[in-house]
């Protein structure tokens, strides 16, 4: 092979292999496409715009995630073929990139994120291990007009043995992002690490750099040792032998004194509906990919830590979640990481076993990870109408089955109106009169019950969303209380009642209607307003807590971070003492 060709393959191959670990697009395919479309890096676009794949400025509406700046371009004529192979020249605007790395990354983001009518154009490409199938998926998605494109790409892969770049080499990457401005780092309290605690950030933010930046500030109140994102890199914020501020404390002390902490980011495809409860906003694939990726990184990280400091990862007193730490009395009251993992069949027991297996050189298998196939679930009768409120350009998917997957029949737009005849057993899908299904997520659709539905659910064990118990207008009835509460939150003036007529949400409408609640945790903080956006009440610079006991609530309010907030009687005058009702039991 010519020296310049070998050098080109090695240069592109290094970046393509790195990209494959993130995107799932075979490195051999990326290299072959770069060779074919840039003429071994000699094309006008490659030389003047670092564009090695002929990426135009407008692709699939540019709604997919991209690293292109949206402005830099290079204009030139280019050849295109029709279905018969006839070639014509057309002047087009192409993307210009600062580096070849950006070109490769943007190319893969397009192949894995571009959609047509709401469906991925190159469905199945990410993770495909056969380069022949991968090339065909790309051609089938309309990537190239050349009718011999697949043959040309595969010939290049085979002639130059490019599959050698497809071999996965898993290696833990820990990058230095020391939070030198954080008071925790400045305190520099030395510890002897005796285990680890895993956290999840509790908000839909997938970028670990965001948290590294937030925590590298003089006003930061917390700091973990490391944070993991989806891309395979661990960002280290504290030396591992320095005490972190990551888990608070409990009756038996604080895990901060001995445990190394890892915070996992969460996907942007979820929405919190109160406390640790969340709903899926996409088709489920993005959430699952992020969760499994951060899970794998966490396994590798704690396998490294356990080896380095010599603790047994199978011991739950050494390796635990924040939630388990609270149960053991050494951490504040949080639900992570189980609140995310539970929906994917993952558990801390499995996590500890996987860490041990990785320490011994074993490979993590996700064959046992469960994700319920809901397509064949029971559909219960429900009479009503639903109007689409989602305004996105990609529209809202109408599906053939009550579940995610490759079952999209058509696309609905904002204002479209449908008749509902049923609801799936998990109450996540409305069945329409034509037999198809649409999501029940209130952010996307607005449901309204018929008079018949109100009667049918009148004597059943349902949580009903209506303006009042007697004679009020009803817009929905659900077996699942959280679904009813979420619908209520989206419609002002409505409340949730159980089958006896008891008001479940928001419980109290006006001040003066007092009731008592029991608090069973020691660290329930008192906030100055109804929501996590309000500051804490403090004494001597420390946050005030209710402690365990019985307290009188004089008013309730909706607010961020909890399904409901309650005003304590002792703070009634200025209305500046609120607690989350998620951690109370009404007496």
């Amino acid at each position: 092979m010519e020296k310049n060709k070998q050098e080109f393959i090695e240069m592109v191959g290094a970046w393509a292999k790195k990209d494959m670990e993130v995107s799932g697009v075979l490195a051999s395919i990326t290299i072959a496409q770069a060779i074919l479309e840039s003429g071994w890096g000699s094309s006008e676009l490659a030389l003047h715009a670092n564009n090695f794949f002929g990426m135009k400025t407008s692709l699939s509406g540019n709604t997919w995630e991209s690293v292109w700046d949206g402005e830099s371009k290079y204009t030139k004529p280019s050849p295109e073929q029709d279905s018969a192979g006839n070639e014509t020249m057309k002047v087009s605007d192409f993307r210009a990139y600062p580096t070849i790395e950006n070109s490769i990354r943007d190319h893969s983001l397009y192949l894995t994120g571009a959609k047509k009518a709401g469906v991925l154009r190159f469905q199945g490409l990410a993770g495909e291990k056969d380069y022949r199938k991968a090339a065909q998926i790309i051609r089938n998605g309309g990537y190239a007009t050349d009718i011999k494109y697949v043959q040309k790409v595969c010939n290049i892969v085979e002639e130059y043995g490019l599959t050698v770049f497809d071999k996965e080499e898993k290696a833990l990457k820990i990058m230095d992002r020391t939070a030198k401005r954080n008071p925790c780092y400045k305190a520099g309290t030395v510890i002897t690490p005796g285990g680890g605690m895993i956290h999840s950030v509790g908000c839909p933010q997938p970028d670990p750099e965001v948290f590294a930046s937030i925590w590298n500030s003089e006003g930061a109140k917390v700091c973990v040792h490391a944070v993991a994102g989806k891309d395979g890199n661990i960002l280290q914020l504290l030396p591992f032998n320095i005490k972190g501020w990551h888990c608070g404390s409990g009756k038996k002390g604080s895990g901060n004194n001995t445990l190394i902490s890892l915070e996992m980011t969460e996907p942007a495809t979820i929405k919190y509906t109160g406390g640790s409860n969340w709903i899926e906003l996409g088709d489920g694939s993005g959430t699952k990919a992020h969760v499994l990726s951060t899970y794998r990184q966490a396994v590798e990280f704690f396998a490294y830590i356990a080896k380095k400091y010599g603790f047994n990862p199978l011991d739950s007193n050494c390796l635990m979640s924040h939630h388990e730490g609270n149960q053991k009395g050494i951490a504040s009251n949080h639900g992570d990481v189980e609140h995310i993992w539970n929906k994917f069949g993952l558990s801390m027991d499995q996590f500890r076993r996987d860490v041990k297996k990785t320490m011994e050189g074993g490979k993590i298998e996700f064959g046992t990870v469960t994700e319920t196939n809901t397509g064949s679930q029971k559909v219960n009768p429900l009479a009503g109408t639903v109007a689409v409120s989602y305004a996105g350009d990609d529209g809202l998917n109408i599906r053939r089955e009550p579940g995610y997957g490759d079952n999209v029949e058509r696309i609905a737009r904002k204002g479209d109106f449908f008749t509902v005849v049923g609801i799936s057993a998990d109450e996540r899908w409305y069945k329409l009169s034509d037999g198809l299904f649409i999501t029940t997520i209130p952010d996307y659709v607005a449901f309204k019950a018929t008079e018949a539905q109100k009667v049918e659910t009148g004597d059943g064990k349902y949580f009903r969303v209506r303006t009042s118990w007697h004679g009020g207008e009803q817009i929905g009835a659900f077996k699942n209380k959280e679904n009813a509460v979420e619908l209520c939150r989206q419609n002002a003036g409505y409340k949730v009642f159980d089958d006896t007529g008891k008001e479940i949400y928001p419980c109290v409408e006006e001040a003066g209607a007092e009731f008592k609640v029991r608090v069973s945790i020691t660290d329930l903080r008192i906030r100055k307003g109804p929501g996590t956006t309000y500051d804490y009440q403090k004494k001597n610079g420390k946050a005030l807590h209710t402690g365990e006991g019985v307290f009188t609530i004089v008013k309730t309010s909706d607010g961020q971070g909890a399904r409901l907030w309650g005003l304590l009687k002792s703070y009634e005058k200025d209305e500046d003492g609120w607690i989350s009702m998620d951690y109370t039991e009404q007496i």
Side-chain angles (χ1 to χ4, degrees):
M1 189 192 310
E2 297 176 21
K3 182 179 180 181
N4 62 335
K5 288 186 177 181
Q6 182 62 47
E7 290 176 348
F8 183 84
I9 288 175
E10 293 297 333
M11 176 187 68
V12 177
W15 292 116
K17 191 174 182 67
K18 179 181 179 181
D19 173 80
M20 180 179 68
E21 296 176 358
V22 180
S23 68
V25 178
L26 285 174
S28 61
I29 287 292
T30 300
I31 302 168
Q33 287 185 286
I35 291 171
L36 178 61
E37 296 174 31
S38 75
W40 295 93
S42 65
S43 71
E44 184 179 349
L45 280 175
L47 293 173
H48 297 287
N50 277 317
N51 188 331
F52 286 74
F53 303 94
M55 297 277 285
K56 295 182 178 179
T57 55
S58 180
L59 290 167
S60 292
N62 289 343
T63 56
W64 44 281
E65 181 183 357
S66 174
V67 295
W68 178 52
D69 64 13
E71 297 179 356
S72 303
K73 65 181 181 179
Y74 189 89
T75 302
K76 65 176 289 291
S78 61
E80 294 191 3
Q81 289 184 354
D82 59 23
S83 58
N86 300 314
E87 188 172 286
T88 58
M89 298 298 291
K90 181 180 179 181
V91 176
S92 303
D93 290 333
F94 295 85
R95 300 181 178 212
Y97 302 100
T99 66
I100 184 177
E101 179 185 8
N102 288 81
S103 179
I104 291 173
R105 184 74 190 110
D106 202 39
H107 178 247
S108 292
L109 286 170
Y110 169 65
L111 291 177
T112 57
K115 293 183 178 180
K116 184 176 182 179
V119 180
L120 288 174
R121 289 186 59 182
F122 311 102
Q123 181 75 43
L125 178 62
E128 176 56 60
K129 303 300 184 183
D130 188 326
Y131 68 88
R132 300 176 189 85
K133 293 181 180 178
Q136 192 63 55
I137 289 172
I138 292 172
R139 177 66 178 85
N140 291 346
Y143 177 89
T145 58
D146 188 343
I147 58 177
K148 295 183 179 180
Y149 190 80
V150 174
Q151 179 182 338
K152 290 179 179 180
V153 170
C154 292
N155 285 346
I156 294 173
V157 171
E158 293 161 4
E159 181 178 356
Y160 297 102
L162 302 182
T163 55
V164 68
F165 290 92
D166 295 336
K167 295 180 180 179
E168 297 185 15
E169 297 176 3
K170 293 294 182 181
L172 181 66
K173 300 175 184 177
I174 300 179
M175 303 175 67
D176 182 18
R177 293 291 189 277
T178 304
K180 295 182 179 180
R181 299 177 62 192
N182 193 296
C184 178
Y185 173 81
K186 292 180 178 179
T189 304
V190 177
I191 64 171
T192 300
M197 179 176 285
I198 185 168
H199 303 263
S200 192
V201 293
C203 65
Q205 172 53 261
D207 188 355
E209 295 284 3
V210 170
F211 297 98
S213 176
I214 291 173
W215 291 327
N216 187 24
S217 66
E218 295 177 354
K221 303 297 184 183
V222 299
C223 196
V224 296
H225 291 89
V227 58
K230 183 184 176 183
D231 65 359
N233 295 329
I234 302 288
L235 307 184
Q236 185 176 351
L237 278 65
L238 290 174
F240 296 138
N241 66 338
I242 295 297
K243 178 180 177 179
W245 297 346
H246 59 89
C247 69
S249 61
K251 295 180 180 179
K252 298 182 180 179
S254 175
N256 290 333
N257 296 323
T258 58
L259 302 179
I260 294 173
S261 53
L262 175 70
E263 192 90 44
M264 297 191 303
T265 60
E266 297 180 13
T269 49
I270 66 173
K271 176 188 175 183
Y272 279 89
T273 59
S276 60
N277 298 310
W278 58 274
I279 58 175
E280 173 65 56
L281 296 181
D283 64 2
S285 59
T287 300
K288 181 179 180 181
H290 189 103
V291 171
L292 295 188
S293 176
T294 51
Y295 176 92
R296 182 179 283 105
Q297 290 175 64
V299 167
E300 294 176 355
F301 176 79
F302 281 113
Y304 165 76
I305 293 298
K307 274 187 176 181
K308 183 177 179 68
Y309 293 101
F311 67 82
N312 178 12
L314 296 179
D315 185 350
S316 66
N317 290 314
C318 292
L319 183 56
M320 68 193 76
S321 69
H322 193 152
H323 174 66
E324 289 180 322
N326 172 255
Q327 293 179 318
K328 295 176 183 294
I330 60 171
S332 57
N333 190 8
H334 279 238
D336 57 321
V337 296
E338 288 87 333
H339 78 296
I340 288 284
W341 284 4
N342 286 345
K343 294 192 179 183
F344 296 91
L346 300 168
S347 68
M348 280 303 299
D349 286 339
Q350 177 186 345
F351 179 73
R352 284 184 277 266
R353 291 193 297 269
D354 283 342
V355 171
K356 180 66 172 178
K357 185 176 181 180
T358 300
M359 289 176 65
E360 296 171 347
K363 183 179 180 181
I364 305 173
E365 300 291 345
F366 284 108
T368 58
V369 174
T370 60
E371 184 176 28
T372 305
N373 178 10
T374 62
S376 59
Q377 66 179 300
K378 180 181 178 181
V379 176
N380 298 314
L382 179 66
T385 57
V386 66
V388 176
S389 55
Y390 177 65
D393 293 336
D394 55 344
L396 190 62
N397 292 332
I398 305 293
R399 299 178 178 273
R400 293 185 292 274
E401 296 178 338
Y404 295 114
D406 187 17
N407 62 357
V408 177
E409 181 67 22
R410 63 176 187 268
I411 304 300
R413 302 291 178 183
K414 183 177 180 180
D416 287 352
F417 190 81
F418 302 97
T419 299
V420 173
V421 297
I423 187 169
S424 60
D426 64 3
E427 298 191 345
R428 297 180 68 182
W429 304 95
Y430 292 126
K431 184 177 182 180
L432 307 180
S433 57
D434 59 2
L436 301 177
F437 294 85
I438 194 170
T439 180
T440 62
I441 296 175
D443 279 357
Y444 292 172
V445 298
F447 175 80
K448 187 172 184 179
T450 64
E451 291 300 323
Q453 192 260 354
K454 299 174 188 178
V455 173
E456 290 170 2
T457 61
D459 297 325
K461 300 293 185 180
Y462 287 84
F463 292 97
R464 278 162 286 164
V465 184
R466 54 197 312 169
T467 52
S468 65
W469 179 246
H470 295 291
E473 180 185 3
Q474 179 173 304
I475 58 172
F478 301 87
K479 290 288 188 182
N480 186 302
K481 182 174 69 173
E482 292 302 324
N483 290 341
V485 169
E486 178 62 14
L487 180 59
C488 183
R489 290 166 69 99
Q490 301 291 333
N491 292 273
Y494 288 87
K495 305 172 184 178
V496 178
F497 300 88
D498 67 11
D499 60 296
T500 67
K502 179 182 177 182
E503 186 179 328
I504 300 299
Y505 180 88
C507 298
V508 178
E509 186 177 20
E510 300 178 356
E514 300 180 359
F515 63 96
K516 294 185 182 297
V517 296
R518 177 177 288 107
V519 176
S520 57
I521 62 174
T522 60
D523 58 349
L524 183 58
R525 292 179 175 178
I526 303 171
R527 293 186 179 268
K528 295 181 179 179
T532 51
T533 55
Y534 290 88
D535 195 9
Y536 308 124
Q537 285 286 1
K538 298 182 178 70
K539 185 176 182 179
N540 298 326
K542 295 183 178 180
L544 290 179
H545 304 87
T546 61
E548 297 182 36
V550 176
F551 302 87
T552 300
I553 302 297
V554 296
K555 185 178 182 179
T556 61
S557 175
D558 198 3
Q560 185 174 334
R563 65 174 180 81
L564 193 67
W565 293 86
L567 175 62
L568 294 168
K569 187 174 179 63
S570 55
Y571 291 86
E572 183 177 11
K573 181 180 178 181
D574 296 321
E575 294 194 3
D576 59 352
W578 298 77
I579 61 173
S580 167
M581 301 296 284
D582 289 349
Y583 303 105
T584 67
E585 178 185 0
Q586 188 170 340
I587 300 176

